[in-house]
Amino acid sequence: MARPRKSQKPLPPGRFGIPWLGETLAIIRSNHGFYKDRLEKYGPIFKTRLFGNSFVVFSGHEAFHVFATDERIVRGDADPISAEHIFLNSLALIDGPEHHVRKAVMLRAVGFRSAIASYLPRMQELFERTIDPWLETGTVVDARKDLQRFAARLTGALYTGDLSEEHAAEMDRHLANMREAFMTLPVPIPGTTYGRAIAGRKRMDEIIGDAIDAHAKGGYDDIVSRMIDAARGSDVPLDDLRGDVRHLIFAGQGGYFVPLTLTTMILGQHPDIMERARAEVLEISPDGPITMEQIERMEYLEQISKEVRRYFAMNSATFFGRVQEEMEVAGYRIPKGWGAMGGIHINMRNPDVFVDPDRFDPDRFQAVREAALPPGSYVPHGDGQATHHRCPGENIVTVAVKVYLTLLLRKVEWTIPAQDLTLTNELFPLPASGLTVNFRAHVPVAG
């Protein structure tokens, strides 16, 4: 039998760096800067070598959509050691039918409207507990720290059932250590940054295991109880939920406090956007409990939420995949066996899709304009079908940002005083200052 003819197309531009390590140290030193620098040098599709593997990075909406939907690229088997350790036994590292079934279980708990609606009262209560002291004092030092603690409290309310401040502090500490796993060499020596990350993951597994055991006996209505109900209805073993719950908790911690912090900063810098958002809030939900019906009517707040996730570098890249057979993308040959990933943030700075991409403009997501976006262009949570590798928390994060803004805009306006707003080199870059905010009561202008 004749051997398949190899494509004559060129490999993507880029460089492999030093033997085995390739450009691994460069991506550890500056996760987001790595993708930005290579986009400027080589264009939206480029090759590199990371962790001993040759990789191609897909960006540009057409190439990103191929990465997310083409069956010749299978997730798992190419992720760095840090991802394998932190996301051990989670669906982030598998593909195929098992992934889709377990993802459907997850969506029942965090993706469905009815589930999110049931969490709203607890979310509003915890937001008020976080922001009411801000409104009383007028100045907040390190809003990032307070919002990060809010996210840990929400984890207790929606996953473990432990509402104590001690529990929130412990969750906050372990999750922060786990994030650091991606910013250092993966050498699990006790007492080192990576050693603390692995210790944190192991402790989180104990907490989650206890929570699943308790929830399995009944008496809860939260994310874990809904996942257990969905798993029992689809024959997914409860043991499989442990890694998936850890994945949700890890992603949710950053998925809440990072956009909340950045939303606070950007609206403080754009009073015109703040006032337009306030007008919508006061028309639709001026006081009292916030409902899903009100949330769904707040179109401008949704535009802000989406533009925050497009504008800021919250996720640099997807989980990694492996090319199962040689393929061609945008005129380049991608060999079988290469690793593959989607460049998330650089993809959403594509001037061919987002005019003047360095400008913060929520009107990009007006319904008509959003509907005209090509597939693969707006991808802060990935791309493709919901039961595949698209992040299941997309809707609940949008709701959280809208609830947060509603509670603030009902009462106050704010400004951002002079401080170091340089974004840090963390997994999720945030202002170096932590974000100091000056609040004052909103006084309506007489008509």
Side-chain angles (χ1 to χ4, degrees), residues 256-314:
Y256 292 123
F257 83 82
V258 174
L260 293 172
T261 302
L262 296 171
T263 298
T264 309
M265 181 178 76
I266 201 73
L267 261 66
Q269 296 170 324
H270 292 272
D272 55 328
I273 294 175
M274 182 189 298
E275 292 311 310
R276 185 172 164 189
R278 186 192 315 282
E280 181 175 79
V281 166
L282 296 181
E283 177 186 352
I284 295 173
S285 183
D287 53 46
I290 303 169
T291 67
M292 280 297 289
E293 289 77 13
Q294 292 172 340
I295 288 289
E296 289 165 349
R297 289 172 57 199
M298 295 180 186
E299 296 177 357
Y300 191 59
L301 263 61
E302 180 142 346
Q303 292 171 212
I304 291 171
S305 172
K306 289 178 176 177
E307 177 67 348
V308 165
R309 283 174 275 175
R310 183 206 69 84
Y311 182 80
F312 288 104
M314 282 186 262

Side-chain angles (χ1 to χ4, degrees), residues 309-322:
R309 283 174 275 175
R310 183 206 69 84
Y311 182 80
F312 288 104
M314 282 186 262
N315 287 310
S316 60
T318 62
F319 283 92
F320 299 172
R322 180 79 68 184

Side-chain angles (χ1 to χ4, degrees), residues 49-70:
R49 180 174 288 120
L50 303 170
F51 316 105
N53 289 305
S54 299
F55 274 91
V56 60
V57 176
F58 294 82
S59 70
H61 61 277
E62 293 178 343
F64 194 103
H65 191 62
V66 168
F67 165 80
T69 60
D70 197 302

